[in-house]
Amino acid sequence: MHVYRKIHSMTSPSTATVLIPDKSSNITSLFDLNEVAYSYAGGHSALRNITLRIHPAEKVAILGANGCGKSTLLRLMDGLVFASSGRFSAFGSDITADYLNNEQNSFQFRRRVGYIFQNSEAQLFSSTVREELAFGPMMLGLSRSEVDQRIDDMAKLLHIERLLDRAPFHLSGGEKKKVAIGSSLVVNPEVLLFDEPTNGLDPRSQRWLVELIMMLHSAGKTIITATHDLSIVPEISDRAIVFGEDHGIAAEGHSRDILANLDLLLRVNLIHEHAHRHGSQVHSHAHYHDNAHEHTHDQG
Amino acid sequence: MHIPDSVLSPATSAAAAVAMLPIWAAAGKHVRKNMGSRQIPLLAMGSAFCFTIMMFNIPALGGTTAHPVAGTLLAVLLGPWAAVIGVSVSLAIQALLFGDGGLMTYGANCFTMAFVLPFTGFALYRISHRLMGNSDRTRPIAAAVGSFFGINAAAGIVALLLGIQPSLFHEANGHALFFPLGISITLPAMLITHLLVAGPAEAVVTGLVVRYLQTMSIPLYGENHSAGDLPSRRTEKIWIGLLAMIALCPLGLLAKGEAWGEWDAKGLSEQIAKQGQQAYIPKSALASEAHGYKGIRGFQDYASEKGAKGYLTAGLLGTGMIVGLIWLAGRVLNKNERTHSSPSNSGEIEYQRSNMMSASPVLPEWMITCSHIEPLPKSVRKGTRNRFLENTLNELTNRHASSLRIEESAKRSGYLQRIEPQVKILISLIFIISISSVRNLPLLAAIYLLVLYSAVISHLPIKPLLKRVWAFVFLFAGAIILPSTLNVVTPGRELIVLWQQPRVSMTFPGTVVAATLMIKIAVALSLGMTLTLSTRWNSMLKGLAVLRIPTLFLTVLAMTHRYLSVIMQTAADMFTARQSRLVGPQSNSQGRSFIGAGAGALFGKSLALSEEIHQAMISRGFRGQFIQLD
């Protein structure tokens, strides 16, 4: 089926070169999903027959239209919901409710995987930014001085020093997103799951976010991003997994190949008729739908 | 239904607070057991929901509006124990953040609204639901029945707490120390308003919310409680213990009723203590009164002569008159408005179909032409101005504005802002308790000026402080206390004769009793307000933590505050959206069903948010134990 060979252009300290193997090989994967399905209590199906591997230090984008199951997949990979059928294993262990009920297991798993929610409002539940950043490290049992050190470093990294004693509801959307990301990064997880990270951000904040994700990746983090913002896909991912509206995987491959496959993107409702090519590439710069916009359609 | 400070004796307040301790402990335990690590976000959302719901105005009899207490609703949705914590937290936020309710009477307010109300409501909901065959169809009706009895039971307890004050706490000469009116007035007054206005409104809204949630298949956590959860032997024990405590506490402390002034000696400067005790020694002004005050005894005489029936009819008549007047005023206002606003007749306007519009999707024909606007048919016009929408919106936005204002004034550098929060909380509490026992008018006035002075030197906003306090004193407290100026309640030298046959007049001692109580309430309220205005929320939480308030309660309190603005904004948006789409007036029942569906939708959103917050907490390593940064 799909065989990828990819050499990272941006060298990371731990893994200078990462080979992405084909599915049959036995090189250790971080996440391994085997025929996973998930349906809600009412029987409404959210994921169907998902088989997928995530390898260390990969940048993966999960693409799909609204309501196709991207967020559910991220929640499953963060051990927040559990497969109705099929198997999900992470770091070599099967992730089940029982497994995570064990204190030791959940400590290890939560330390290694971070999840940035689409809704910052849900992620920011503490009464000040400082407490928000302290939550994760305190839960992991770090000493007070370590916690303070981490808060300071994280605030510096994200330029939110002056927000530390503010309440989350006084922050702007962009600031909320920064704090939400900080609250997960402060635990220093190996795998970061981003759910629609650019949603509701202004262009400058979007740019900042993309650069942050690239920086995290070059530091050796595994990045999994669920998005329908195609413009950021080439930068935040090397591999793309496309969800169809049937809640299953419609395609996967190199991000550039996926973006070039207009038939596929049209079929899964990620683009509409007005999308168009420039040379061999889907247009990914700012795009306004005003009437003066001239299009050259080279296929029907 | 909030009892303000200074109205109850410290003994009654303490008894109620002591009675609440085992209830809070049991509630914390139950909630931890039944909800697991989900408890904190769920309770916080429940409290924020409850707080917001209390600001919803429901159209009631003849254009009046009432607000729901939502205790029974919360019990049906999350279970009665969760309702205890949910309502307690929202009462704490009202008292600490907005200066509503009271600090000293917090225990009593929790006892009525966070315990009696949800438990009575839930018990009757379960019983009536069982009687009606436990079907989904009858559940909303059962919830409505439960909430009706819940709110009336709570109103009855409030009447009881207020009504026992004059007979338990009075001076040697019979003058009431605290609330001056006896049970035979408070009980009919509270029950009539709640049986006729607040109760039915609460019942309708509770029923509608439950129906809405059922059709949306949003889970009702209250249903998961096993039947054994309710009248189990353990809860029965708690009930018996509580009843015993309620019965014994005020009586046991009765003998010490006058020694409460000694609080002054411990808490305040000695000078005030001296004056405070002087205030206890038979008052010069009052003692000079020849006739004296017969207090509750005089009242009982009256009650036995004419019977409680007389009061009942008087109360009924009074309520009827108020409702009637408001209804009439509403009708007149509506009529005026109708003559002013006749819908303009713009003829048929044809919009040009532009080339742009021919692109898909195609608009239906009726959207392309602007049709002739018919005047509203007469039958539809009936109904009130949508006052409940405006009221609710105003309240929601005012709350938000005032919380911002508080945060701002607490940030300023001033004398009061510099004091440690836990010290401030304790001093305010001690002050409020002491003041409630002072009866010397000049001394009270002096203390009031002192409070105002400390507010001024701390750069607190004085105008809202004065406005809020005196508006409350005159509108609410004044209306309740006013009858005590009459010779029927407080006999004595007559000032103004209002009625000859039978003779009704305002008396001098009656006026003094009423004025003293009103000033006391004003001082206590101002104290509470200066505390909230001079303390930032986060330092308030830290102060409470130093005072050893349990972490579960504090965490829920903190998170409730965190999400209050989110939920209130959602509610305000809902009401604004409603107002923007509204054409013409609406009937009360339409208004009520909107409130029902709106509250239901708000609950659905709160529940979804709490689920997501729970996941966000789990994702960052939460395992059920909350650790706070100190």
Side-chain angles (χ1 to χ4, degrees):
Chain A
M1 270 181 70
H2 305 279
V3 180
Y4 316 116
R5 299 249 183 275
K6 159 77 181 162
I7 295 166
H8 275 256
S9 50
M10 237 176 297
T11 48
S12 53
S14 55
T15 47
T17 307
V18 177
L19 288 177
I20 302 173
D22 62 353
K23 282 178 180 172
S24 56
S25 80
N26 274 333
I27 295 180
T28 17
S29 53
L30 276 183
F31 288 169
D32 200 338
L33 284 83
N34 207 342
E35 311 250 312
V36 164
Y38 179 80
S39 44
Y40 293 112
H44 175 73
S45 177
L47 292 175
R48 227 170 254 170
N49 197 21
I50 307 289
T51 299
L52 178 69
R53 274 186 177 189
I54 307 286
H55 305 283
E58 246 196 315
K59 283 197 288 189
V60 182
I62 297 167
L63 308 179
N66 291 332
C68 66
K70 298 186 302 270
S71 296
T72 311
L73 180 63
L74 289 191
R75 271 162 213 231
L76 193 117
M77 292 202 277
D78 196 33
L80 297 173
V81 298
F82 302 97
S84 316
S85 69
R87 244 185 66 208
F88 164 53
S89 60
F91 314 110
S93 314
D94 277 5
I95 302 301
T96 58
D98 283 344
Y99 177 81
L100 287 182
N101 273 341
N102 179 304
E103 287 267 314
Q104 227 4 276
N105 294 342
S106 81
F107 173 82
Q108 290 301 337
F109 184 81
R110 301 290 168 213
R111 198 175 52 82
R112 297 175 80 171
V113 186
Y115 180 17
I116 290 91
F117 280 66
Q118 178 180 356
N119 178 6
S120 304
E121 214 63 83
Q123 182 147 11
L124 304 180
F125 45 76
S126 304
S127 49
T128 62
V129 171
R130 187 184 298 280
E131 277 177 42
E132 202 61 66
L133 294 179
F135 186 88
M138 303 243 294
M139 285 297 152
L140 298 182
L142 294 187
S143 75
R144 185 59 209 264
S145 59
E146 272 178 295
V147 172
D148 285 340
Q149 186 59 46
R150 285 204 177 183
I151 293 174
D152 287 348
D153 293 345
M154 191 45 61
K156 226 170 272 164
L157 174 72
L158 301 176
H159 305 293
I160 51 172
E161 294 104 320
R162 66 195 169 80
L163 303 181
L164 278 179
D165 290 307
R166 297 261 298 274
F169 56 87
H170 285 153
L171 306 180
S172 73
E175 289 170 334
K176 274 185 195 157
K177 187 55 94 183
K178 279 188 175 183
V179 177
I181 291 172
S183 72
S184 286
L185 287 188
V186 75
V187 176
N188 193 25
E190 296 161 36
V191 184
L192 283 160
L193 308 165
F194 285 93
D195 195 353
E196 301 285 2
T198 53
N199 243 15
L201 294 184
D202 60 30
R204 200 172 61 116
S205 308
Q206 287 191 15
R207 200 60 236 154
W208 168 84
L209 188 86
V210 168
E211 275 159 20
L212 179 78
I213 289 178
M214 284 162 56
M215 186 179 80
L216 290 168
H217 178 249
S218 64
K221 308 285 183 201
T222 308
I223 310 279
I224 304 169
T225 313
T227 187
H228 51 225
D229 180 356
L230 297 184
S231 68
I232 62 168
V233 171
E235 285 172 291
I236 57 137
S237 71
D238 298 321
R239 182 154 71 106
I241 294 152
V242 182
F243 268 70
E245 291 192 320
D246 61 348
H247 308 288
I249 294 178
E252 66 173 307
H254 273 288
S255 298
R256 291 197 186 279
D257 296 342
I258 294 280
L259 288 180
N261 189 344
L262 287 188
D263 285 342
L264 168 71
L265 297 181
L266 254 177
R267 199 170 67 235
V268 300
N269 274 332
L270 272 168
I271 53 172
H272 60 105
E273 287 162 73
H274 282 277
H276 52 284
R277 281 172 200 267
H278 285 283
S280 63
Q281 201 193 348
V282 176
H283 178 98
S284 60
H285 57 77
H287 177 109
Y288 301 99
H289 276 208
D290 55 2
N291 295 317
H293 196 90
E294 288 294 329
H295 286 183
T296 34
H297 298 272
D298 52 2
Q299 70 179 95
Chain B
M1 208 190 286
H2 294 62
I3 304 175
D5 277 329
S6 280
V7 163
L8 289 186
S9 69
T12 317
S13 308
V18 168
M20 271 319 279
L21 291 177
I23 301 171
W24 279 322
K29 215 172 143 190
H30 266 262
V31 163
R32 243 182 234 127
K33 205 181 85 197
N34 290 331
M35 293 181 178
S37 68
R38 190 175 261 116
Q39 42 163 328
I40 288 170
L42 196 60
L43 282 178
M45 291 306 112
S47 307
F49 168 73
C50 178
F51 187 95
T52 311
I53 283 296
M54 285 199 209
M55 274 177 276
F56 280 25
N57 283 278
I58 316 166
L61 268 185
T64 56
T65 59
H67 77 86
V69 182
T72 309
L73 186 59
L74 217 56
V76 175
L77 301 181
L78 299 178
W81 292 108
V84 169
I85 296 191
V87 181
S88 296
V89 165
S90 61
L91 288 175
I93 288 193
Q94 288 180 346
L96 290 172
L97 192 65
F98 297 101
D100 282 353
L103 289 177
M104 186 176 88
T105 51
Y106 177 67
N109 282 328
C110 281
F111 186 77
T112 56
M113 278 183 275
F115 175 63
V116 174
L117 195 154
F119 266 89
T120 316
F122 190 72
L124 275 144
Y125 154 68
R126 291 304 287 263
I127 290 167
S128 52
H129 195 210
R130 207 170 301 153
L131 287 178
M132 287 185 273
N134 268 335
S135 77
D136 274 357
R137 201 173 41 82
T138 54
R139 183 172 292 123
I141 302 163
V145 170
S147 71
F148 179 81
F149 285 104
I151 197 169
N152 277 296
I157 299 286
V158 170
L160 212 68
L161 285 176
L162 291 175
I164 57 171
Q165 298 304 310
S167 53
L168 286 184
F169 305 98
H170 51 77
E171 294 168 72
N173 64 357
H175 285 183
L177 275 163
F178 305 102
F179 194 75
L181 305 174
I183 289 176
S184 38
I185 290 184
T186 57
L187 203 61
M190 284 299 278
L191 282 187
I192 287 165
T193 50
H194 284 83
L195 283 170
L196 292 182
V197 183
E202 171 107 348
V204 170
V205 166
T206 307
L208 286 170
V209 172
V210 171
R211 195 180 68 180
Y212 174 89
L213 294 175
Q214 228 169 240
T215 50
M216 296 283 130
S217 55
I218 291 169
L220 303 176
Y221 281 80
E223 285 304 299
N224 299 342
H225 285 243
S226 58
D229 219 28
L230 232 204
S232 70
R233 258 178 297 143
R234 284 204 37 217
T235 18
E236 253 168 42
K237 262 188 214 158
I238 292 179
W239 271 105
I240 294 166
L242 280 175
L243 288 174
M245 238 184 290
I246 299 160
L248 293 177
C249 255
L251 291 173
L253 290 165
L254 179 59
K256 288 186 179 173
E258 288 170 36
W260 277 89
E262 278 176 14
W263 276 101
D264 295 10
K266 285 170 197 156
L268 305 171
S269 72
E270 278 193 2
Q271 200 190 3
I272 296 179
K274 245 185 243 164
Q275 282 172 313
Q277 265 156 5
Q278 271 166 13
Y280 268 82
I281 301 160
K283 318 295 155 308
S284 46
L286 298 171
S288 65
E289 282 302 312
H291 298 291
Y293 171 77
K294 284 187 195 138
I296 192 74
R297 269 168 283 118
F299 199 71
Q300 272 166 349
D301 290 346
Y302 183 86
S304 63
E305 276 166 30
K306 305 218 169 148
K309 266 186 207 160
Y311 280 99
L312 209 71
T313 26
L316 267 171
L317 270 174
T319 316
M321 271 164 68
I322 292 168
V323 170
L325 274 175
I326 294 172
W327 180 75
L328 262 175
R331 287 223 69 137
V332 171
L333 278 172
N334 269 350
K335 228 168 233 165
N336 287 346
E337 227 162 64
R338 261 179 240 159
T339 52
H340 285 304
S341 60
S342 56
S344 61
N345 284 6
S346 47
E348 212 140 313
I349 304 161
E350 184 96 29
Y351 285 107
Q352 295 259 311
R353 269 183 186 235
S354 66
N355 286 336
M356 261 161 48
M357 278 177 89
S358 65
S360 64
V362 181
L363 288 174
E365 206 56 41
W366 58 265
M367 282 186 80
I368 295 160
T369 55
C370 183
S371 56
H372 176 79
I373 299 169
E374 296 282 347
L376 279 173
K378 273 245 158 68
S379 56
V380 185
R381 281 240 206 109
K382 263 192 184 168
T384 50
R385 276 173 66 230
N386 304 296
R387 198 186 297 118
F388 74 98
L389 282 177
E390 291 159 31
N391 284 352
T392 308
L393 263 175
N394 281 343
E395 218 161 311
L396 285 167
T397 45
N398 283 347
R399 273 296 152 108
H400 196 63
S402 77
S403 80
L404 289 179
R405 197 172 53 219
I406 286 166
E407 201 62 15
E408 199 180 292
S409 74
K411 253 190 265 175
R412 285 179 209 154
S413 74
Y415 176 69
L416 286 174
Q417 285 91 331
R418 275 196 296 274
I419 305 176
E420 288 286 310
Q422 63 272 24
V423 177
K424 254 188 292 188
I425 295 170
L426 276 184
I427 288 184
S428 307
L429 199 59
I430 291 170
F431 235 115
I432 288 172
I433 292 169
S434 332
I435 282 161
S436 68
S437 301
V438 174
R439 289 202 74 224
N440 185 319
L441 265 176
L443 177 63
L444 280 172
I447 295 175
Y448 181 59
L449 288 178
L450 189 74
V451 173
L452 280 188
Y453 175 72
S454 65
V456 170
I457 59 167
S458 306
H459 312 288
L460 299 184
I462 294 300
K463 234 169 113 186
L465 188 66
L466 291 173
K467 228 172 87 184
R468 275 284 304 279
V469 168
W470 290 103
F472 177 84
V473 168
F474 280 109
L475 281 178
F476 296 94
I480 297 167
I481 298 161
L482 220 55
S484 67
T485 59
L486 301 179
N487 62 343
V488 184
V489 182
T490 322
R493 182 157 60 85
E494 289 173 335
L495 286 178
I496 309 159
V497 178
L498 299 172
W499 201 268
Q500 285 297 344
Q501 206 68 11
R503 198 173 174 81
V504 178
S505 60
M506 280 174 79
T507 64
F508 181 72
T511 314
V512 171
V513 166
T516 315
L517 192 57
M518 278 163 74
I519 290 190
K520 269 203 276 188
I521 294 172
V523 177
L525 251 178
S526 309
L527 265 168
M529 292 275 294
T530 45
L531 171 69
T532 60
L533 282 171
S534 67
T535 318
R536 296 187 69 179
W537 179 248
N538 283 320
S539 54
M540 185 86 87
L541 286 176
K542 273 175 204 152
L544 291 173
V546 172
L547 296 175
R548 301 258 164 252
I549 305 292
T551 328
L552 171 73
F553 191 78
L554 280 185
T555 316
V556 175
L557 194 64
M559 204 185 274
T560 304
H561 176 257
R562 157 75 185 88
Y563 283 100
L564 210 52
S565 58
V566 177
I567 303 246
M568 271 171 20
Q569 193 54 52
T570 311
D573 289 348
M574 234 155 52
F575 279 86
T576 317
R578 168 76 166 186
Q579 219 170 19
S580 75
R581 274 187 292 177
L582 217 81
V583 188
Q586 284 194 297
S587 71
N588 274 352
S589 65
Q590 281 173 313
R592 279 192 290 265
S593 61
F594 167 68
I595 297 275
L602 193 67
F603 182 75
K605 277 184 189 175
S606 313
L607 206 61
L609 190 58
S610 92
E611 194 59 36
E612 214 176 348
I613 295 163
H614 179 238
Q615 290 192 339
M617 289 166 77
I618 294 280
S619 173
R620 274 150 70 192
F622 181 67
R623 290 183 299 275
Q625 213 62 39
F626 216 93
I627 313 164
Q628 257 189 325
L629 203 62
D630 38 59

